Amino acid sequence: MRKKIVAGNWKMNKNLQEGIELVKEIKALCDADKPNCGVIVCTPFIHLASVTPLVNQDIIGIGAENCADKESGAYTGEVSASMVASTGARYCILGHSERRAYYHETAEILKEKVQLALANNLIPIFCIGEVKEERLANQQNQVVKAQLEGSLFNLSAEDFGKIILAYEPVWAIGTGLTATPEQAEDIHAFIRSLVADKYGKQVADDCTILYGGSCKPSNAKELFAKPDVDGGLIGGASLKAADFKGIIDAWK
Ligand code: PGA
C-alpha cells in the first residue's frame, strides 16, 4: 500500500542533547494531535541509539542519513548498515545529493549501500533529482531515470517494493526555491511510470514518492495535494518541532 509520509533529514545539525530534546518535542506534538501520515525522523548516527527508545516507531520512525557501502572491517570512520539497525533505527536515507556531490557517492556505491541496508532490514529512503543546469536543459527526466537504473532497478520487485523514493531537485534544496506543485507532479508521475515499466502497475501504485527541497508549512499542502506526491523529505524545516508538525499537518 502506498503510504503518506513526512520524513525529516537533520543533516549535520544538533548535538546529542539538542537532538534528544527535538525528538521529545516532536513526540509531544504528535501525542497531543495524532498525525494523519507516517512520520520519520532521520538523525546523525550518534543520536540513533539515544532516540529510538524515546518513541513508538509505529508512529515516529527513526532513521540514519547514510550507511557504509561495506559490511564490516577496516574502514575507519564508517558506520555499517548492521550497526545502524542495532540501534533500533528502521530507515536509512541513501543517495542524498549532498552525499553524491561532496562525498563522491556513485550509482555503483549506492547500489551496494541499498543492498546492505535491505539485508539489515532497514528501509532505504532513496533520493534522486537533477541539478539546476540539468533542469535548465530540460534533462530532469533522463537524470532521474539514470539514477533509478544505476542503483535500484537491479532489485527484485519484492525488494524494490520496500524502498521509499524521494525526488529532490538539487536546485530546491536549502535554497528557498521550491519546485511548483505542477513541476513536482510532472516528474513524480514520470518516476512512477518508470517504476511501472520496470516492475508493473501494482508496484508503481504502491511506491511512496516523497518531494524534497525547501518544503515548509506554507507550501506543503499544495505539494501534497498532487496525486503522485506522497509526502515530503524535509531538511531545514525539520529542525524546529513546530515547523515539522506544521508540515505533518498538511495531510489533515
Ligand atoms: P531542505 O532540504 O528542506 O532544507 O531544502 C531537503 C533535503 O535536502 O532533504
Side-chain angles (χ1 to χ4, degrees):
M1 279 294 285
R2 194 190 307 183
K3 293 199 182 86
K4 300 179 281 189
I5 292 173
V6 173
N9 171 14
W10 289 1
K11 310 193 179 186
M12 197 172 72
N13 293 294
K14 304 286 175 194
N15 68 24
L16 179 59
Q17 290 72 27
E18 292 164 346
I20 289 171
E21 252 345 279
L22 180 53
V23 166
K24 285 184 179 165
E25 285 173 37
I26 294 166
K27 180 182 182 296
L29 291 176
C30 292
D31 283 348
D33 176 30
K34 292 248 171 310
N36 206 8
C37 63
V39 176
I40 301 170
V41 175
C42 297
T43 79
F45 293 128
I46 65 126
H47 297 69
L48 295 172
S50 302
V51 298
T52 51
L54 301 179
V55 294
N56 171 356
Q57 286 204 61
D58 294 334
I59 298 170
I60 301 176
I62 300 293
E65 300 171 11
N66 181 29
C67 72
D69 62 338
K70 303 286 193 299
E71 218 172 300
S72 67
Y75 302 102
T76 302
E78 287 294 291
V79 175
S80 70
S82 112
M83 292 172 185
V84 170
S86 74
T87 68
R90 293 189 182 173
Y91 299 87
C92 188
I93 296 175
L94 292 173
H96 192 280
S97 61
E98 288 151 17
R99 302 286 326 165
R100 294 179 193 258
Y102 306 145
Y103 302 97
H104 316 293
E105 293 191 1
T106 62
E108 202 55 40
I109 290 172
L110 293 171
K111 193 194 231 177
E112 298 297 321
K113 293 190 178 200
V114 167
Q115 267 155 11
L116 286 164
L118 288 171
N120 286 283
N121 296 316
L122 295 171
I123 298 176
I125 302 174
F126 192 83
C127 304
I128 56 178
E130 80 287 355
V131 300
K132 186 171 166 199
E133 293 69 33
E134 292 162 339
R135 169 65 64 165
L136 291 173
N138 202 28
Q139 288 168 345
Q140 61 275 9
N141 286 9
Q142 279 157 260
V143 171
V144 296
K145 183 166 190 267
Q147 289 169 332
L148 290 171
E149 288 173 347
S151 304
L152 297 183
F153 279 3
N154 59 304
L155 296 173
S156 66
E158 193 192 342
D159 277 346
F160 185 87
K162 297 172 188 160
I163 307 260
I164 297 169
L165 293 178
Y167 167 68
E168 299 205 307
V170 181
W171 47 270
I173 295 177
T175 58
L177 274 180
T178 316
T180 64
E182 292 70 29
Q183 283 173 323
E185 173 57 22
D186 277 355
I187 194 151
H188 281 229
F190 174 70
I191 292 164
R192 202 178 300 286
S193 76
L194 294 173
V195 175
D197 290 347
K198 174 74 189 170
Y199 293 107
K201 188 173 180 310
Q202 190 61 52
V203 174
D205 279 348
D206 289 347
C207 181
T208 296
I209 310 176
L210 308 180
Y211 167 80
S214 299
C215 186
K216 34 190 187 251
S218 59
N219 60 24
K221 211 176 182 107
E222 49 174 9
L223 284 160
F224 298 173
K226 292 294 178 188
D228 287 294
V229 178
D230 306 314
L233 180 56
I234 320 298
S238 74
L239 295 171
K240 289 209 179 100
D243 287 351
F244 191 52
K245 183 62 165 47
I247 297 173
I248 292 167
D249 288 346
W251 278 119
K252 295 208 164 171

